[in-house]
Amino acid sequence: MSIQYRQDMPPAGGFEAVKYKRNLPFRGPSGLVILGAVTAVCAYGFYRVGMGNLERRELQREQVWSRIHLVPLLVAEGDRDAYRRQQAAVEREREIMKDVKGWEAGKGVYNDGRYRSTESIVVL
């Protein structure tokens, strides 16, 4: 038995045309739009950094001036505290050395009238 050979032929009227053109959907903004957006965001960021620097500089200036104005008050308070401690030390010395004849409580060992404080203050 032999089978008759039959060739495959195109349909009547032919095949439809081959679609070879690219039909891509819109894939977002162009490069210039993205560049513009990035530039705008960076410019806004630099603006905010600049404003933050101004604010920080103002706060630092205010802090420096507050310290400058507080130094005399703190020095005076330290002087009052030092005087109180010195008077208490002289009283303790007077109480301890009351039995020693010729002892002068609070007299310096250098025998001069110059005052020497025991504390030093460093102001930055």
Side-chain angles (χ1 to χ4, degrees), residues 27-39:
R27 296 189 44 100
S30 69
L32 285 176
V33 172
I34 292 173
L35 180 64
V38 167
T39 302

Side-chain angles (χ1 to χ4, degrees), residues 40-55:
V41 167
C42 286
Y44 179 71
F46 279 119
Y47 169 76
R48 291 295 302 233
V49 166
M51 298 309 285
N53 287 341
L54 290 176
E55 179 73 18

